[in-house]
Amino acid sequence: MRTPPALRATALAATATVLLPLAACSGGDDGGTDRARPSAASTASPTATPRDLASQKLSWKRCSAPSEAQGSGTAPSPLPGGTAWECAFMDVPLDYGDPGGRTIELALVRARAKERDERIGSLVFNFGGPGASGVATLPSFGTAYDALRTRYDLVSFDPRGVGRSEGVVCSDDEALDARYQMDGTPDSPEEEKAFVEDLKSYTADCEKNSGEELPYVGTVNAARDMDLLRQVLGDDELYYFGISYGTELGGVYAHLFPRKVGRAVLDAVVDPTEDAEQSSLGQAEGFQLALDNFTSDCAERDDCRLTGSTSQEVEEWIAGLLAKLEKKPVPGLGERKLTQTQATTGIAASLYSQETWPLLEQGLDEADGGNGGLLLALADSLNGRSQDGRYDNSNAANTAINCADSAQRFDLERTKAALPAFREASPVFGDYLGWGLMSCTGWPVAGTWKTPDVSAPGAAPVLVIGNTGDPATPYAGAKAMAGELGEGVGVELTYKGEGHGAYNAGNSCVQKAVDGYLLDGKVPAAGTVCE
């Protein structure tokens, strides 16, 4: 349904934040929700916000180091010119159906605009996942948006359930290490039983540790939080930059609050017309396309470390390596082995950006020689594991948000029936993503929708950018989003490139179009193509 936790900006040159967990982030058949509590997303008017919360004053202070849930690390350094990153907390209702009841705090970050006299307002970012900490991510990419900071305060936040915003807690670090060492593509009754038992155990941990919050972490409530943030920041309209899952959040916001949409950009677009199975299948095709592009590049170079003189031969060699790892994992990092599942995760991690292809090539070559350390480190980056063995909460948040949203559930029989189509879509990633359909099975909260409504009649133009080589949010999603937003609202722009997202790919045509719209209000012509 969304992009597969965050590639660590400090370790990888990824464009946006994404998630491919052991069981990927989607649901499926409508069965299996009989024990679930109702979702809270549709119980309140989208405008139900207490006046005292809308008028609250934020106490901005210099940011501390990210918490463990946000990914750890050091406090963000000042931007060029000396502007410091500032952090604050904003109160929001836990349940918008009971706006005078319990509140929770959302963590915020900002860097103030350079040209205060020309300031337009606050530009709010969501980097995707779902589950990515905006408070940790925006400072990591801050210089990439320096042109936009001429007229905007750059602002991001940890959505509810993420990082320091009442972050969802599931299993502990030791249990997560064991979980990621398991076979995520079972092919025997014993492995299937272990897979299902692991899902049950993980779900039970989430319900035990965060059960009171789980009904309220979905995208609709996150969109309501963004409108409250808009009011608290003092803006009449929301200026927004959504990446990956952030495009779905932006589309839902536009549907709920069309008259409050200011200038908005959606980059690396989730297809709002696809249900969970269709979306996961599309991701299998997208990652396969990216792998094909990687293997083609490798086969064309004389210095490629991998075996094969054609793209197909290189890919067959990779498939052979994965088959060997299933039978016999190789040493990885510390006591942990590189398994077939972890290797597949590492491959996926490195396909988010063409800049990480050399790491993929090196990691595959070393794994073939018996050293799985690099591929395992790549998998760790996608699983939210730091070098000291601590996990952030991006995977837990991803599951909780996806399962609060998706009303679909897959049982074992339906999942196995879907696998042939996934294998056809991708010999490498098909099983991996197909088994991920079960990630919401048995979840204690019923989901909200089969597909989200993003229709936004009367909204200002929304610039929607699709990348033809995007593995995680395939290119077709941009056209679908533009169409669903509605005539005169969705404006599609195409980038013919590689990797996840377009603005941070370094293409001057894309950056000029985005900057021109956000800074000067110049809407690009629909159908613009950047190469």
Side-chain angles (χ1 to χ4, degrees), residues 343-364:
T344 306
T345 305
I347 294 170
S350 56
L351 292 176
Y352 280 104
S353 170
Q354 192 169 4
E355 293 181 16
T356 53
W357 286 6
L359 290 178
L360 174 56
E361 183 180 326
Q362 178 184 346
L364 288 167

Side-chain angles (χ1 to χ4, degrees), residues 47-135:
T47 58
T49 302
R51 291 182 180 179
D52 58 333
L53 291 182
S55 60
Q56 65 185 286
K57 302 299 181 183
L58 302 177
S59 178
W60 293 100
K61 300 177 181 178
R62 187 177 289 262
C63 295
S64 60
S67 68
E68 183 177 330
Q70 292 172 313
S72 303
T74 59
S77 301
L79 287 158
T83 298
W85 290 98
E86 299 174 307
C87 288
F89 288 92
M90 181 182 76
D91 291 332
V92 301
L94 173 66
D95 179 2
Y96 278 89
D98 181 19
R102 176 186 166 191
T103 61
I104 59 175
E105 290 184 328
L106 299 191
L108 314 176
V109 65
R110 77 171 180 185
R112 302 190 71 183
K114 289 184 284 188
E115 298 179 8
R116 306 299 298 171
D117 292 342
E118 300 294 326
R119 179 180 177 276
I120 297 171
S122 295
L123 181 62
V124 177
F125 289 79
N126 180 280
F127 293 92
S133 165
V135 173

Side-chain angles (χ1 to χ4, degrees), residues 472-487:
T473 49
Y475 171 62
K479 182 176 182 179
M481 177 68 80
E484 290 297 302
L485 285 168
E487 186 176 355

Side-chain angles (χ1 to χ4, degrees), residues 31-38 199-208 214 409 440-446:
T33 62
D34 53 278
R35 80 181 194 91
R37 288 176 285 176
L199 285 175
K200 290 180 179 178
S201 176
Y202 185 74
T203 298
D205 285 347
C206 298
E207 185 171 15
K208 176 183 176 182
L214 295 181
R409 302 291 184 261
C440 290
T441 300
W443 194 251
V445 176

Side-chain angles (χ1 to χ4, degrees), residues 22 107 135 164 178 229 312 346 385:
L22 178 67
V135 173
R164 280 194 166 122
L229 176 60
Q312 183 175 350
R385 188 186 195 273

Side-chain angles (χ1 to χ4, degrees), residues 272-527:
T273 68
E274 291 184 335
D275 65 20
E277 183 175 1
Q278 293 167 332
S279 181
S280 291
L281 195 59
Q283 283 191 340
E285 295 169 348
F287 276 99
Q288 186 63 45
L289 173 61
L291 184 64
D292 291 344
N293 293 339
F294 164 77
T295 56
S296 294
D297 174 77
C298 181
E300 292 170 1
R301 292 188 290 106
D302 294 335
D303 62 345
C304 182
R305 303 183 185 199
L306 310 185
T307 300
S309 58
T310 66
S311 175
Q312 183 175 350
E313 289 177 354
V314 176
E315 196 163 313
E316 289 173 350
W317 179 87
I318 294 173
L321 172 61
L322 293 173
K324 288 190 293 183
L325 290 172
E326 181 173 28
K327 294 179 180 179
K328 187 178 181 181
V330 299
L333 297 170
E335 298 298 319
R336 294 184 301 143
K337 301 279 190 177
L338 178 69
T339 64
Q340 180 195 48
T341 297
Q342 290 281 53
T344 306
T345 305
I347 294 170
S350 56
L351 292 176
Y352 280 104
S353 170
Q354 192 169 4
E355 293 181 16
T356 53
W357 286 6
L359 290 178
L360 174 56
E361 183 180 326
Q362 178 184 346
L364 288 167
D365 179 54
E366 291 178 356
D368 185 56
N371 178 7
L374 179 52
L375 274 187
L376 187 53
L378 289 165
D380 285 347
S381 73
L382 206 52
N383 289 330
R385 188 186 195 273
S386 61
Q387 291 183 354
D388 63 6
R390 297 185 298 175
Y391 286 86
D392 63 25
N393 95 308
S394 54
N395 260 317
N398 179 278
T399 301
I401 295 168
N402 277 319
C403 298
D405 284 349
S406 177
Q408 299 172 292
R409 302 291 184 261
F410 266 86
D411 59 18
L412 184 62
E413 182 179 357
R414 177 69 186 277
T415 299
K416 292 171 71 173
L419 291 177
F422 277 81
R423 291 169 182 149
E424 183 177 353
S426 175
V428 173
F429 300 105
D431 273 341
Y432 182 66
L433 286 165
W435 280 103
L437 293 171
M438 288 188 67
S439 61
C440 290
T441 300
W443 194 251
V445 176
T448 303
W449 57 52
K450 188 174 183 179
T451 59
D453 192 343
V454 298
S455 59
V462 176
L463 180 58
V464 179
I465 308 171
N467 180 349
T468 58
D470 197 315
T473 49
Y475 171 62
K479 182 176 182 179
M481 177 68 80
E484 290 297 302
L485 285 168
E487 186 176 355
V489 179
V491 178
E492 184 183 4
L493 181 149
T494 295
Y495 168 53
K496 293 185 176 181
E498 297 291 339
H500 187 45
Y503 185 81
N504 286 345
N507 182 271
S508 60
C509 172
V510 173
Q511 291 177 341
K512 183 179 179 180
V514 171
D515 294 352
Y517 181 44
L518 290 177
L519 295 173
D520 301 316
K522 298 177 181 177
V523 182

Side-chain angles (χ1 to χ4, degrees), residues 170-182:
C170 291
S171 303
D172 62 24
D173 295 335
E174 183 178 357
L176 289 173
D177 268 349
R179 185 167 203 250
Y180 290 123
Q181 289 286 294
M182 289 186 60

